[in-house]
């Protein structure tokens, strides 16, 4: 997935699940204390909430950014809702 595709999905509010390094991750949306957030997490683990797509691109897990994770995957490892 390219950076532009990811930003388009995020701007349109699409939820994303993907498999990276054998683990499942999700990008979802919600509200915390009245503010809209984008939530990123490995399934069943603590999430990271950010307010903008640009912030999400730089969130890291295992020293790898969300953007780098998604750019390294094939379509078979990404589910868009």
């Amino acid at each position: 997935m390219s950076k532009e595709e990811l930003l388009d999905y995020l701007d349109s509010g699409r939820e994303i699940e993907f498999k990276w390094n054998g683990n499942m991750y999700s990008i979802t949306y919600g509200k915390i204390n009245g503010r809209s957030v984008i939530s990123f997490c490995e399934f069943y683990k603590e999430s990271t909430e950010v307010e903008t797509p640009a912030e999400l691109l730089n969130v890291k897990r295992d020293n790898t950014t969300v953007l780098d994770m998604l750019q390294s995957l094939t379509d078979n490892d990404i589910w868009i809702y």
Side-chain angles (χ1 to χ4, degrees):
M1 174 182 300
S2 72
K3 179 179 178 178
E4 292 76 23
E5 288 174 312
L6 177 56
L7 290 173
D8 283 344
Y9 287 134
L10 295 173
D11 286 339
S12 62
R14 305 287 298 268
E15 295 193 351
I16 302 169
E17 292 180 355
F18 62 96
K19 187 175 187 177
W20 182 77
N21 275 359
N23 298 312
M24 292 295 298
Y25 294 86
S26 67
I27 298 170
T28 59
Y29 304 86
K31 290 204 178 265
I32 296 178
N33 298 325
R35 65 184 175 104
S36 295
V37 296
I38 302 168
S39 180
F40 171 71
C41 71
E42 181 179 342
F43 280 24
Y44 310 111
K45 303 230 175 160
E46 190 170 330
S47 63
T48 299
E49 283 74 36
V50 296
E51 293 186 23
T52 67
E55 290 175 291
L56 177 66
L57 298 181
N58 296 312
V59 171
K60 286 188 175 184
R61 291 290 190 277
D62 298 324
N63 294 316
T64 305
T65 66
V66 170
L67 179 59
D68 288 339
M69 288 178 184
L70 288 165
Q71 286 180 325
S72 72
L73 300 176
T74 66
D75 289 342
N76 293 330
D77 294 318
I78 302 172
W79 298 270
I80 311 293
Y81 302 101

